[in-house]
């Protein structure tokens, strides 16, 4: 319903350009055609670096989204209800405001800081033991870090380094790489979890250490 309302608002209030509504042009005209600018995105190494960074970040993001509840059940003995509650705790921050306020608009340093926080939180979650308090804290930190990294790697930084008429192409490259990596993560993680299980007297025991190394490695 909310999406349908949004579509109606867009149809009636979002217009192609000021000129299409009889208003004067705003801002400087683009220095190159949109087509040329978009092709330039594919030749920009920094866009591909961001895409690769975002792809690995999505591996760690969807590792928790896809496998976190099962990990808490199988590895730490949590009930389904408790495991779901822990994974459902995510934080958020005003990352754009944060980088503008404290780093004068620079995205690289806060992206690095929250990338490190993401790795620390994931390591605490996977290797930090059964403590409920520790697992909740790790998921809060993980949620905050992922929220910032999605904003920076998947949006702000890509937009910052390309011409305005090529921002869609840059976001497309980063987004495509991210979701391909998320899909591959599920296949690789499922294979590692399945291949390192032990069946004894009909009881299945999973060794999550190999897949944990994969997830933490991607985060790093």
């Amino acid at each position: 319903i909310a999406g349908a309302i949004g579509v109606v608002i867009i149809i009636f209030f979002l217009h192609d350009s000021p000129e299409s509504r009889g208003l004067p042009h705003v801002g400087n005209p683009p220095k190159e055609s949109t087509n040329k600018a978009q092709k330039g995105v594919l030749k920009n190494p920094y866009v591909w670096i961001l895409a690769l960074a975002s792809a690995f970040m999505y591996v760690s993001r969807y590792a928790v989204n896809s496998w976190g509840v099962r990990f808490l059940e199988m590895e730490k003995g949590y009930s389904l209800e408790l495991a779901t509650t822990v994974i459902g705790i995510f934080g958020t921050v005003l990352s754009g405001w944060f980088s503008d306020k404290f780093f004068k608009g620079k995205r690289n340093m806060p992206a690095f800081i929250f990338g490190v926080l993401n790795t620390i939180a994931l390591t605490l979650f996977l290797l930090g033991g059964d403590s409920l308090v520790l697992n909740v804290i790790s998921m809060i930190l993980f949620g905050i870090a992922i929220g910032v990294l999605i904003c920076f790697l998947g949006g702000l930084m890509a937009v910052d380094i390309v011409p305005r008429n090529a921002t869609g192409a840059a976001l497309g490259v980063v987004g495509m790489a991210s979701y391909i990596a998320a899909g591959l993560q599920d296949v690789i993680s499922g294979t590692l979890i399945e291949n390192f299980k032990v069946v004894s007297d009909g009881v299945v025991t999973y060794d999550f250490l190999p897949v944990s190394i994969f997830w933490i490695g991607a985060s790093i």
Side-chain angles (χ1 to χ4, degrees), residues 22-33:
L23 297 170
H25 177 76
V26 177
N28 298 322
K31 296 180 180 179
E32 57 184 352
S33 70

Side-chain angles (χ1 to χ4, degrees), residues 184-197:
L184 290 174
Q185 173 278 135
D186 263 339
V187 175
I188 296 171
S189 297
T191 301
L192 287 171
I193 292 170
E194 182 68 18
N195 287 348
F196 285 90
K197 72 179 182 182

